[in-house]
Amino acid sequence: MSKVAIVTDSTAYLPPELIRGYSIEVVPLHLIWGEKTYLDGVDITPKEFYERLATAKELPTTSQPSPAAFKAVYDRLLAAGYDILSIHISSKLSGTMDSAIQAKAMLPGARIEIVDSLSTSMGMGFAVVEAARAAARGASLEECKAIAERGLRNVSVFFLVNTLEFLHRGGRIGGAAAFLGTALNLKPILELRDGRIEAIEKVRTISKATDRLLDIFAERARGKRPLRLAILHANAQEEAERLLERARQKVSVDDISEAVIVPVSPVIGTHTGPGCVGIAFMSGL
């Protein structure tokens, strides 16, 4: 039986403590700032990104990896005897999936399966980790793919942004456009639904919006176990720590099998803006 390697992209921003020892390759997206292009999470970290963003006169833009970048990774893994499961950011948010598909087409006959996560960050990341764990146990390519797809069917991602300005500028606003033009002090709660960013509701203050975010988590997580829980944040570590503590109180301690705090990658932060916090969880695996 062939070995299976998992390929994902930098928007997953996987915590090192979850992926240590597993065969996971990360293809970085690009952050374009002025005349310079950075590899997401490689040439620029979240800390460096938000420090620069605070005083930047020009906002960065983002772009997908090239098909050649994917092919280089695929070639190396295939030469090492791996089958490949490639899991990527929603095709409705990025062209990354298209680049992966083009790279696979350059390698006819290769054992490569590509999965559209219809998600990103740890909404995708948990499925990547579970597929890698299955591969480490000796699961086949088809089995790893089935595990990832089952996990992705049981993922929820919802988040709170300080402003819709960054999503609007980046063209990723989706159904949240309904909230544009509302009073400035209204805080939108959004979710990834069928691969797009959609509006849940708007709340008058940040504290009430955080309360509501936790209520939504409790409603969505009710009766589901085991829960793999991630608190996501864009330069809001302290708030993320408080959010995790409060989220734990919303469910039984026995329901949570794994809990992490994860910064969003610079590419994702470009679209959410600073101060964004969110909750991603996967159940059933």
Side-chain angles (χ1 to χ4, degrees), residues 168-187:
H168 183 47
R169 286 189 184 187
R172 304 305 200 279
I173 197 163
F179 287 171
L180 282 174
T182 57
L184 291 177
N185 63 336
L186 291 176
K187 300 301 177 184

Side-chain angles (χ1 to χ4, degrees), residues 14 27 56 107 118 160 171 190 195 204 211-212 225 241 259 263 272:
L14 298 163
V27 180
L107 297 162
L118 295 177
L160 167 64
L190 311 171
R204 188 155 297 279
D211 291 345
R212 183 65 188 123
R225 60 184 303 181
E241 289 171 1
T272 65

